[in-house]
């Protein structure tokens, strides 16, 4: 009899342990389910033309720490694109840390841009939005605060300086609105007499080339060596360059 009671007791204990094991297993199955990952939509962007306002406008990319580091640069007067959030039509921008090669860090505002098929970031003070072309003058001219003769100021634009312009806009009273660099986001809008502006792309390309060579020489008043000038003349000889632009470039008439 004792053996029967002992066997019956063991059976009951095993049954109870099996039931508990099943309950724990069921509970464990629920607890290890992967949490649901929210479906976050990816941003899409539209692009609108902009013009660089600063010599050697730096282009940045984010490093693994999310800090902006130098990646490339474009010449003053280069046309690139600003990226806009397609959902809001707002410029894609953010305030973040710039890391210089010296190790110095500062917090600045950056905007997303595209150039030559690649996406970068640059500072908002270096570009003119709502502009589609560079323009320049070949003689020093006065700046106007409004599109009328009485708007003349004492400020001047130097010959060969690259400005930003929206050529789709119609001149007003013989004046055209241009954007110049002033250290503020997207530059400063002023007016110049339309007749003074050079907007032909071939002329702009030629002048930008000369300006870039002077930048590389780290001397804005640098004179080209004769052999370099000859090579430049050969490169641009087939372009439809205005005689006065040619004179500006090479100091002689066509």
């Amino acid at each position: 009899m004792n053996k029967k009671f002992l066997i019956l007791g063991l059976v009951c204990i095993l049954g109870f342990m099996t039931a508990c094991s099943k309950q724990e297993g069921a509970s464990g199955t629920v607890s290890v389910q992967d949490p649901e990952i929210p479906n976050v939509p990816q941003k899409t962007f539209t692009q609108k033309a902009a013009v660089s306002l600063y010599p050697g406008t730096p282009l940045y990319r984010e490093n693994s720490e999310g800090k902006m580091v130098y990646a490339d640069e474009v010449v003053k007067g280069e046309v690139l694109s600003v990226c806009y959030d397609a959902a809001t039509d707002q410029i894609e921008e953010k305030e973040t840390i710039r890391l210089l090669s010296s190790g110095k860090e500062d917090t600045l505002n950056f905007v997303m841009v595209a150039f030559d098929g690649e996406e970068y970031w640059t500072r908002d003070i270096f570009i003119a939005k709502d502009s589609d072309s560079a323009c320049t003058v070949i003689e020093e001219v006065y700046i106007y605060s409004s599109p009328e003769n009485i708007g003349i100021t004492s400020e001047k634009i130097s010959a060969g300086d690259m400005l930003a312009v929206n050529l789709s806009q119609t001149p007003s009273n013989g004046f055209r609105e241009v954007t110049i660099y002033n250290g503020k986001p997207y530059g400063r809008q002023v007016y110049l007499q339309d007749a003074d502006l050079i907007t032909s792309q071939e002329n702009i390309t030629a002048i930008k080339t000369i300006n870039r060579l002077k930048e590389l020489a780290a001397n804005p008043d640098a004179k080209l060596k004769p052999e370099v000038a000859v090579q430049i003349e050969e490169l641009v000889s087939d372009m439809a360059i205005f005689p006065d632009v040619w004179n500006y470039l090479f100091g002689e008439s066509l």
Side-chain angles (χ1 to χ4, degrees), residues 85-230:
D85 185 334
T88 63
D89 199 34
Q90 298 296 311
I91 292 177
E92 184 69 8
E93 59 184 335
K94 63 180 173 180
E95 190 175 88
T96 189
I97 295 173
R98 178 184 65 176
L99 174 62
L100 298 177
S101 58
S102 65
K104 179 182 177 182
E105 297 182 354
D106 43 15
T107 301
L108 302 164
N109 195 60
F110 290 84
V111 298
M112 182 184 286
V113 296
F115 178 71
D116 199 22
E118 300 285 340
E119 288 184 351
Y120 300 94
W121 295 84
T122 193
R123 293 184 61 190
D124 53 10
I125 65 173
F126 291 151
I127 58 173
K129 62 179 181 178
D130 302 323
S131 299
D132 57 15
S133 178
C135 65
T136 190
V137 294
I138 55 174
E139 292 181 354
E140 189 176 70
V141 298
Y142 283 100
I143 288 175
Y144 292 76
S145 61
S146 58
E148 52 192 342
N149 290 329
I150 62 173
I152 192 169
T153 71
S154 59
E155 298 178 87
K156 296 180 180 180
I157 297 293
S158 300
D161 195 10
M162 286 292 155
L163 319 168
V165 66
N166 188 337
L167 293 178
S168 66
Q169 293 180 349
T170 304
S172 175
N173 299 325
F175 290 86
R176 190 180 284 277
E177 184 182 82
V178 300
T179 304
I180 62 175
Y181 176 80
N182 69 340
K184 302 291 181 62
Y186 309 115
R188 171 188 167 201
Q189 285 71 51
V190 299
Y191 292 88
L192 297 179
Q193 292 192 23
D194 188 49
D196 291 332
L197 293 178
I198 299 295
T199 58
S200 161
Q201 290 307 301
E202 291 188 323
N203 287 278
I204 292 297
T205 298
I207 295 174
K208 280 197 300 188
T209 301
I210 295 296
N211 290 348
R212 181 55 175 162
L213 289 172
K214 291 180 179 180
E215 288 174 16
L216 293 174
N219 179 2
D221 297 320
K223 303 297 181 183
L224 293 177
K225 293 180 179 180
E227 59 269 26
V228 176
V230 169

Side-chain angles (χ1 to χ4, degrees), residues 39-110:
N39 184 20
V40 180
Q42 294 295 316
K43 278 189 177 181
T44 57
F45 300 103
T46 58
Q47 297 180 359
K48 299 180 184 179
V51 176
S52 61
L53 296 174
Y54 193 78
T57 292
L59 303 177
Y60 301 89
R61 284 204 171 108
E62 291 181 286
N63 65 9
S64 58
E65 298 176 328
K67 298 175 181 179
M68 295 294 179
V69 295
Y70 174 89
D72 205 344
E73 64 181 56
V74 295
V75 300
K76 185 177 184 179
E78 191 68 69
V79 177
L80 31 72
S81 298
V82 174
C83 297
Y84 288 72
D85 185 334
T88 63
D89 199 34
Q90 298 296 311
I91 292 177
E92 184 69 8
E93 59 184 335
K94 63 180 173 180
E95 190 175 88
T96 189
I97 295 173
R98 178 184 65 176
L99 174 62
L100 298 177
S101 58
S102 65
K104 179 182 177 182
E105 297 182 354
D106 43 15
T107 301
L108 302 164
N109 195 60
F110 290 84

